[in-house]
Amino acid sequence: MSSRKATSNDVAAAAGVSRSAVSFAFNNPQRISVATRERILAAAERLGYTPDPLGRMLRAGTTNSIGVLLPQRLAWILENPYYSRFLMGAGQVCDQEGYTLLLTPPLQDSVLKAIPYAAVDGFVVCGLEADRGEVAELSRRGIPFVLIDSDRVPGAPSVEVDDRGGAHEVTRYLLDLGHRRLAVLSMDPGAAVTERGYRGPLARRMAGIADALAECDLTMADVQLTEVPVTRAEGYRATRDLMAGGRAPTAILALSDILAYGAVDALQELAIKVPSEVSVTGFDDLSESAWFRPRLTTVRQPIVTKGRMAAEFLISAIRGEEQHPHQVLGTSLIVRESTTKPA
């Protein structure tokens, strides 16, 4: 028995039509009659023939797929439930509009190297600074893109949340409770921070914290700042180190819920009561935060909505429709059981 893969010529011979008619049946069915198309499809099914997807993309000049350009390795991304919520929103729009979604993590630790290998019509660019090479490369290639949690780029749609306002609100809440020994668990900004300062959402959150501190005659020098990768394990490790220091905080302000979960894990292991001895706050309001014990006080950002807007804006750009302006989504403080006045 031959294991040769069936071709469009085989289908044409079996159906008694031309090769062009086979192409029309799969790519442009209105060019042939319904009866002819049904005969071709039946022959294709008997022979086990399916069109080459790469060939179809090359002929159509489109992939009907959008890429999500990720700033970190895929293993780290999948560990963070934030991205599952974001991708849920983007996926809802893709389902409605007939697009597939391709995750594009760094290639050999380079996001720039990953761009040419992604067969997509456009990119949702997550958490990259506007002056990085990736944004310039997408502009040079004429590839539509939408920036998420980045700085604004003229002519490019973008979506972010009010990071500064959210960070200000949660910091001021802790200060109003009476906390003055604060620790901040921040996501690691990378090596470039020493040269250029904080960027994007992290810069805005730090500014919000500084705003609230200034209202109480304090500065960032009055808080303990720890920068770690955004994983639960790193939140745990950083909190163990904080509590072993000479001036343990009465409140830990984590800039992501994931880091806050790790902080609570460490405190509970150390037999330190949350919140009566140490209060803990997060940022995101992931689904787990409502049933985590103690239930987490956090800043809610509309993650699913952000994902939906990102996909909607990108598909509009791919289709050449009217471009959307820069969009800032609001945040809100959700007070639960992980915070109280200092002892």
Side-chain angles (χ1 to χ4, degrees), residues 71-135:
Q72 298 173 323
R73 296 176 184 177
L74 199 54
W76 290 355
I77 292 294
L78 295 178
E79 189 176 349
N80 189 343
Y82 165 89
Y83 280 101
S84 66
R85 302 287 293 170
F86 179 83
L87 294 172
M88 179 191 299
Q92 290 170 354
V93 175
C94 287
D95 288 343
Q96 293 168 4
E97 301 296 331
Y99 279 75
T100 57
L101 196 62
L102 177 68
L103 301 186
T104 310
L107 179 63
Q108 298 173 349
D109 293 326
S110 169
V111 179
L112 189 62
K113 291 179 181 177
I115 292 174
Y117 291 93
V120 296
D121 296 329
F123 284 103
V124 172
V125 182
C126 293
L128 296 179
E129 292 86 4
D131 59 357
R132 282 182 48 146
E134 294 86 355
V135 175

Side-chain angles (χ1 to χ4, degrees), residues 145-175:
F145 64 92
V146 174
L147 293 170
I148 305 301
D149 294 332
S150 180
D151 300 319
R152 304 183 190 188
V153 173
S158 58
V159 184
E160 66 180 63
V161 300
D162 182 13
D163 291 289
R164 186 168 188 163
H168 172 272
E169 188 175 14
V170 69
T171 307
R172 186 59 200 246
Y173 165 71
L174 290 172
L175 292 169

Side-chain angles (χ1 to χ4, degrees), residues 23-46:
S23 177
F24 291 152
F26 287 97
N27 302 305
N28 207 0
Q30 66 270 23
R31 297 284 298 272
I32 58 177
S33 69
V34 173
T36 300
R37 183 169 187 264
E38 289 178 350
R39 191 165 75 250
I40 293 170
L41 294 179
E45 185 174 359
R46 287 197 309 272

